[in-house]
Amino acid sequence: MKTDTATPPTAPDAAPPVPLRRNWRFQALWAGQAGATLGLQIADTAYPLLLLALTGSSTLAGAFGAVQIGAAVLFGIHGGAAADRYNRRRLLIVGDSVRLVACASVPLAMALDRLTVAHTLLVAVVIGATIAYTGPVRLIAVRSVVPPEQLRQALAQDEARMSGAGLVGPPLAGALFGLGRSAPFIGTAVASLLALTAALVVKFPGGPESRTQGTKGTKEMKGVSETSGTSGTDGTTGSALAGYRYLAGNALLRPILAVVLLINVAGAAMLLPVMVILRGQGTSSAGIGLSLAGEAVGALVGALLVSRLHRLAGPGVLLLAVSWLTVPAMFAPLLPGGPVTVFAALFVVGLGIPTLRVMIDLLVFSRVPDALRGRVISATLTLFTVGMPAGMVGSGLLLDHLSPATALGAVAALLTAGLTAATAGRSLRRSAWPEQAAAPAGTPAT
């Protein structure tokens, strides 16, 4: 009896993914996110200047940023829960629509001579609240339109968007003011319209993934089911605080987030003493602004280096290396060169910022179950956001009792103490990228 030994036909190889530059859904989302980020950067500069012109009060001028951050923190808990429970694309459309209406109301009120301080601060609340609801959704949307093998590249491009907006936004706000008092606020409305248009045009999965995939994601990290506070494997029925419990219950994420939070506090705390020192050296306001732009310029260049830096070392080692660079950078205004030295120091520190942001996405957001992802993203962003006003308030208190140089020394000492403790631990130094941790022994990581 003759045996058929013919080899069955094999399935054709899967087609390679479309190059990221030709992925129109990602690029459209990216353009919308760039518009939203640029509008926020313009607003952060224009609204305080508007309040200062309306009232002459520096306190009220600073209140806009404080109210906006406070609203983002306050609504952040529910914003993450909403991203896990409701249609995400619909949330993005509603959030962008509300922000567009709020931003457009300001130039309209100015044209009618009806603008008030209360109206302006209410806009700050709306902007902060919409950030809380749309921020997690935008991060989730990016990964839903990009294949896993292109995620790091997509996140690096997204970092370039954030750095570019941070660099262009403040001077653009000043330039728009030169065209007319309402011009910056018309600009923020146009930027919000661009973000809304992208949300309307681009379709992406509206809700959490299936229960099966959520269960798979739960198994990827030990202890998720015990620490997330959910009543099911997908996390959809858990509490709004489940994201915080997830972060607190993971032995690797705790030190990572603690170090990044410490960097945010120290970075915000150093700004005011640096500005005071440069002002005392005779540096103009424009010169101070240009010197502080060194971080944004460095981050813009650093977005091109993300993949290379990730190949050089593990995530914990990179985090510690970038964090330790911040310590000597704090003393740059005390060195010869003044604003030039400050720019150079901040440029070097800024080179590593995109690497750390993408690292957080890959270690935290990529490995959490999709049905819990909104709450984890919201919890992470809220923790980082809280660090900035804490640092600003702390630096103000230090300057009330210490010289600017001594205040910088105190902030550097606090950062050094925290980094010493983190470096002494083993969890950060031994951490690996997800693809390396998942690969069998002897298998090269992709």
Side-chain angles (χ1 to χ4, degrees):
M1 183 176 179
K2 187 176 181 180
T3 304
D4 185 7
T5 58
T7 303
T10 58
D13 293 337
V18 176
L20 199 62
R21 67 180 181 277
R22 289 166 45 199
N23 184 335
W24 78 267
R25 289 202 299 166
F26 168 72
Q27 296 299 342
L29 272 178
W30 183 89
Q33 292 171 349
T37 306
L38 181 60
L40 291 175
Q41 290 292 335
I42 295 174
D44 287 345
T45 302
Y47 279 97
L49 292 176
L50 174 64
L51 285 168
L52 188 62
L54 288 175
T55 66
S57 170
S58 299
T59 301
L60 285 175
F64 183 89
V67 170
Q68 179 180 310
I69 291 174
V73 171
L74 182 63
F75 287 95
I77 296 176
H78 186 258
D84 289 336
R85 294 172 183 169
Y86 305 116
N87 186 283
R88 290 167 175 168
R89 182 167 175 264
R90 193 172 301 154
L91 277 174
L92 187 59
I93 292 172
V94 171
D96 285 344
S97 299
V98 171
R99 184 165 63 247
L100 172 60
V101 172
C103 291
S105 71
V106 173
L108 178 60
M110 294 174 71
L112 299 174
D113 200 21
R114 299 277 184 173
L115 186 64
T116 64
V117 172
H119 181 174
T120 308
L121 294 180
L122 179 60
V123 172
V125 173
V126 173
I127 291 177
T130 55
I131 290 173
Y133 286 96
T134 62
V137 175
R138 291 190 191 282
L139 287 173
I140 295 172
V142 168
R143 81 172 8 85
S144 70
V145 299
V146 173
E149 59 268 29
Q150 293 179 342
L151 182 58
R152 186 180 266 110
Q153 180 186 356
L155 294 174
Q157 181 176 326
D158 204 44
E159 284 302 311
R161 179 260 306 178
M162 294 182 63
S163 302
L167 183 62
V168 173
L172 179 58
L176 289 174
F177 258 122
L179 299 177
R181 198 174 70 158
S182 63
F185 310 100
I186 296 175
T188 60
V190 171
S192 298
L193 178 60
L194 176 61
L196 174 60
T197 302
L200 290 170
V201 170
V202 180
K203 294 183 178 180
F204 58 90
E209 297 167 6
S210 66
R211 181 176 298 270
T212 301
Q213 185 163 350
T215 304
K216 178 182 178 182
T218 304
K219 293 178 180 178
E220 288 183 356
M221 297 189 79
K222 183 179 179 181
V224 170
S225 59
E226 288 82 3
T227 60
S228 64
T230 61
S231 58
T233 56
D234 64 351
T236 55
T237 56
S239 72
L241 297 175
Y244 294 92
R245 285 196 285 270
Y246 177 90
L247 297 175
N250 188 279
L252 174 60
L253 300 184
R254 282 198 305 270
I256 288 177
L257 296 178
V259 170
V260 176
L261 176 61
L262 182 61
I263 289 295
N264 279 349
V265 173
M270 70 176 284
L271 288 179
L272 187 56
V274 168
M275 288 189 288
V276 173
I277 292 174
L278 291 178
R279 175 68 74 184
Q281 295 173 350
T283 306
S284 66
S285 297
I288 293 174
L290 288 174
S291 66
L292 296 180
E295 181 178 329
V297 176
L300 192 60
V301 176
L304 305 175
L305 306 175
V306 169
S307 295
R308 296 179 183 179
L309 292 176
H310 282 192
R311 288 194 295 267
L312 285 177
V317 173
L318 281 177
L319 172 62
L320 292 172
V322 175
S323 302
W324 277 111
L325 281 175
T326 309
V327 176
M330 289 188 174
F331 298 101
L334 305 178
L335 300 176
V340 176
T341 305
V342 171
F343 180 94
L346 293 180
F347 177 87
V348 172
V349 173
L351 287 173
I353 290 178
T355 296
L356 299 188
R357 288 176 177 161
V358 174
M359 178 197 75
I360 293 296
D361 194 296
L362 294 175
L363 290 184
V364 183
F365 306 154
S366 296
R367 303 185 70 180
V368 68
D370 183 72
L372 187 61
R373 189 167 287 153
R375 280 165 286 178
V376 171
I377 291 176
S378 178
T380 304
L381 296 180
T382 300
L383 289 173
F384 294 165
T385 301
V386 168
M388 292 183 285
M392 294 175 186
V393 172
S395 66
L397 294 174
L398 288 174
L399 289 175
D400 285 340
H401 301 89
L402 303 173
S403 68
T406 306
L408 280 179
V411 175
L414 173 65
L415 180 58
T416 299
L419 292 180
T420 300
T423 305
R426 297 181 178 181
S427 58
L428 283 180
R429 290 185 284 110
R430 294 183 177 181
S431 61
W433 297 109
E435 59 268 26
Q436 294 172 335
T443 302
T446 57

